[in-house]
Every structure is written in C-alpha cells, then in structure tokens.
Amino acid sequence: MDRIHITGGVPLHGTIPVIGAKNAALPLMAASLLTEETLTLSNLPHLVDITTMANLLAQHGVELSMNGALPGGGCDGRVLDLCGRAVANTTAPYDLVCRMRASVLVLGPLVARFGQARVSLPGGCAIGTRPVDLHIKGLEQMGARIELNEGYIEARRSGRLKGAQIIFPQVSVGATENLLMAAVLAEGETILMNAAREPEVCDLAQCLVAMGARIEGIGTDTVRIQGVERLRGARHGVVPDRIEAGTYAVAAAITRGAIELTGTRPELMVATLTCLSECGVRVEPTDKGVRINAVDADIVGTDIMTEPYPGFPTDMQAQVMALMATARGAAMITETIFENRFMHVPELMRMGAQINIHRASSAIVRGVPRLSGAQVMATDLRASVCLVLAGLSAQGDTIVNRVYHLDRGYERLVEKLAACGAHIERIRD
Ligand code: UD1
C-alpha cells in the first residue's frame, strides 16, 4: 500500500486550482439514470470514487464516454457523457456498493424510472453506523413497496411513484438527493421539508431543472417538486469542491504560508473562511477565488461545532482540529453530525497534540508550539488529510499510511502541495 512521506516546517506559498466537488459529481452521475438522453457533466474530478460510480452505472447499462479535448490532442477526462438509453439491470451489487456509500444514490432514480430497484445495503463505515432509513421511509411514502432481503433493499412500484409530503426528522444530504431524484418523475407534487441545503444538493437540483424537472425552493429547507413524465438530456458543470478548497486553506494556515485558491466560490464556504478569520488568518478575495494568508499570523484557538449547511461542515472538522493543535490557547470542537468522527485524535496525539475527548462528541484541543513527525494512519478520507496537514507543520518526518483513502477524495494532493513548496512525496509499494 502506498504511503506519503512529508518533511514538515515549510510555509506553503503559491496557487492551487480547485476541482469539481466529488460530493456533487456522484449524485449528478446517478441522475443520468433518470433519462434516455445524454447527460454531459463537465469539471469532473479525477478520483477513485468517481471511477467506482462510473463502474456501478456501467453495470446498470449506462453508456459512458470521457471527453474534454486537450489542445494537443487526447482528452482531459473532465467531461463525461452519460447515456441511460439502454439501462437493463436495476441491481446495484454488494461488491460495488460496499466500496462507497454514495452508491445508494442510484436507488431513487432506478425506482422512479423503472419501478424497481435492488440495491445492496451499504453497511457500517469508519465514521459511524450511517443508516439509510430516511431514504427508505421517503420512498415508501411515495408508494414504493420496500423489503430488506439478503442484505439488499428491494423496492417496487407498479406505475409512477406518487408525490408525498416528506418531513425529514434530521437533515440528510444523501436522503434529500435520493428523494429529489425520485420525486422529479413522480406523479403530482412532492414537498421535502427539513431538506439539506448543501451546495452539492443545490447543484443536483439545478442540473435536474436543466433536464426538465420542475423544482422550487432550491437552497432552502423546503423544496417543492412537481413531477414530470420524462426528463431530457442536459449539460452541467460540477460546482467547485468547497472541502478541497477548505483543506488547502488550512494547509496555508497551519504552515503560516499564503495560498491563492483559484476556481473556487468563497460564498459557498463562509463557515470555514469565518473560522479561519477568527483564528487570525487573513482571508482576501481575489479575481480568481480567494487568498489565504497566514504569514506571521498569531493563530488562536477557536471553538467550532459541526452543523448542516450553512453551518460548519463535518467534512472540515478533522482538518481544523489539526490547525487548532498548533494554535495559541484552547479550542473546543463539537461534532454533531456523525457519532464516531474523532478517529484522527489518537494519531494527532502521537504527533504531540494535546486533546481530550468528552462524551465522544466534543474535543478540547490545547495548542502546542510544534507537533513532531511520526508514522500515522487513518481510517477515512478527511481524517487522513488531517494527518497530512499536521505533517506539513510538524518538526521532522511524517509517514501517512493507507493513502488509498486520500485517492478517494483528493486529486493530485501530493503534486498540488509540492507545487507550493511542501516537502512531500508518495512512496509507491
Ligand atoms: C454526505 C457527504 C459526506 C458528508 C455528509 C454530511 C456525499 C457523497 N457524502 O454524506 O461527505 O460528511 O453528507 O455533510 O455527499 N442519517 C440517518 N439516516 C439516513 C441518512 C442519514 O440517520 O437515512 C444520519 C447519518 O447517520 C448522519 C446524518 O444523518 O448522522 C447525516 O448524514 P447524511 O447527511 O445523510 O450524510 P451522507 O449523505 O451519507
């Protein structure tokens, strides 16, 4: 298994281009199941999770072709045509779903268009039990009969799904996306209340509108969908990745450097940028995005609590904890979205961080002047990148094991950081 070797202590300086969001691209790809016509997605990131979703859709019968012509010939693979004309198989098998939870996003589109779907239950994962009960209950409210058989969700409906009023007891990004995709082809009106408002959900809704869906209230917690009989093809550019951008913003802060993030939309990452400003980092808008300037900054501990959008994102919690570990004073970090999302804490402590966890959901981080390099590993994507960030600021050498987690969500991470002066390399085994 590949590892990453970092020699820390170098302030990062330079420019990092931000790619399309993985968490937007995955549901957008699943939306191709809703129509016989071609959906063209641009600004796609090159990531293992995108390949997993492409393989899943291909085995359903979606025809995929990579585009994006390069000036000298060839293609950059950032533009993907997906055509759901010949979809024949409505089963999403265990061996693909178990690799990535977001595979469950094919459930809503398959039942909506074909009246049936058999999708493996995703099972537990490193950051908690993460059930899919809200996806299932919502589809039942829309008239689907659902049974759980041999580890599979089996959904059936003769005729179109029926519009329903669905009140989510808690905000769920995935359930909102799945039911949105189901509702666009249902008969009558569906109202999703307490819906997720994440930019990735809005991106999906906007793409569905371009495909002919009738949706009101995009960006609010009450989304009204008037079902239509069929959708058409469309072209859509994936929204920039606010978590990738936030991660590199923390890289600038933790090394006391300065990085311009281009191709990003700062208005989509207000909670992260506000947190950095409160810590003492200068956040400067530029023509192309935003500049994060921490040169000579006196970074002070700042409390954060994760919340659904527009609150502070759970996917930035681990990265900010690494920053707080080197800040002046203490910070209280409270995780409210997932029940097991402090897996990075013991590894940060092996690097010299001082952290106490309270009741599994809060952590008090007492900043130390300098972390020290160590061999570390992590069990999920954001926890892994938090250890890379810690390694960039630590004294001495850090080896981050199990790099495959990073490949799921960060494109060319090593190259992007090295281009800003980081002493970082991938060791291939
Ligand atoms: C998505 C993101 C993930 C992010 C998370 C929260 C993708 C591909 N992934 O994950 O990166 O960390 O949003 O912003 O977009 N829940 C239930 N029952 C359900 C569904 C969810 O209890 O049926 C709970 C979950 O266990 C969790 C909370 O709701 O505690 C939020 O989860 P959810 O928003 O659904 O996360 P995902 O869509 O899986």
Side-chain angles (χ1 to χ4, degrees), residues 23 130-135 170 172-174 314-315 337-338:
N23 286 355
R130 293 179 92 175
V132 286
D133 55 319
L134 303 177
H135 305 235
Q170 77 183 90
S172 163
V173 172
T314 175
D315 285 351
I337 309 290
F338 292 111

Side-chain angles (χ1 to χ4, degrees), residues 103-270:
S103 308
V104 80
L105 292 170
V106 299
L107 179 64
L110 285 173
V111 197
R113 181 161 157 222
F114 302 101
Q116 60 176 44
R118 195 167 170 267
V119 176
S120 174
L121 278 162
C125 77
I127 57 175
T129 50
R130 293 179 92 175
V132 286
D133 55 319
L134 303 177
H135 305 235
I136 292 174
K137 274 186 202 142
L139 284 174
E140 281 176 336
Q141 280 181 264
M142 297 176 79
R145 268 186 295 115
I146 300 205
E147 287 177 23
L148 300 183
N149 263 333
E150 297 168 348
Y152 278 76
I153 308 166
E154 294 181 348
R156 273 188 188 283
R157 165 83 193 166
S158 54
R160 288 167 71 191
L161 290 168
K162 281 215 175 319
Q165 178 164 316
I166 295 166
I167 305 174
F168 293 108
Q170 77 183 90
V171 179
S172 163
V173 172
T176 303
E177 291 167 342
N178 230 338
L179 296 176
L180 188 56
M181 289 190 277
V184 289
L185 287 183
E187 214 176 325
E189 182 180 68
T190 300
I191 307 178
L192 302 178
M193 296 169 87
N194 198 23
R197 295 185 277 164
E198 269 65 3
E200 295 76 24
V201 178
C202 301
D203 203 38
L204 171 66
Q206 271 146 6
C207 176
L208 292 170
V209 167
M211 293 166 76
R214 293 173 57 201
I215 307 175
E216 281 172 24
I218 298 174
T220 74
D221 62 2
T222 304
V223 183
R224 284 172 187 271
I225 305 116
Q226 308 292 337
V228 295
E229 273 185 41
R230 55 188 303 279
L231 293 182
R232 54 178 183 264
R235 301 182 72 85
H236 182 83
V238 180
V239 69
D241 195 323
R242 64 198 167 100
I243 307 299
E244 190 205 30
T247 300
Y248 292 124
V250 173
I254 203 167
T255 62
R256 310 303 190 259
I259 295 179
E260 183 182 13
L261 301 164
T262 58
T264 189
R265 285 174 52 193
E267 75 276 14
L268 301 182
M269 43 190 297
V270 171

Side-chain angles (χ1 to χ4, degrees), residues 340-360:
N340 193 14
R341 212 170 192 182
F342 285 141
M343 308 289 276
H344 42 286
V345 168
E347 299 298 297
L348 284 175
M349 290 175 73
R350 295 183 59 245
M351 300 178 73
Q354 290 189 11
I355 306 171
N356 280 318
I357 297 182
H358 181 64
R359 289 180 192 263

Side-chain angles (χ1 to χ4, degrees), residues 11 49 86 91 107 149 254 298 320 334 338 349 353 406 413 428:
D49 275 7
T91 296
L107 179 64
N149 263 333
I254 203 167
D298 173 25
V320 166
T334 306
F338 292 111
M349 290 175 73
L406 292 166
L413 173 86
R428 295 187 188 274

Side-chain angles (χ1 to χ4, degrees), residues 6-22:
I6 304 161
T7 306
V10 183
L12 301 190
H13 286 274
T15 301
I16 295 186
V18 174
I19 52 167
K22 164 180 87 76

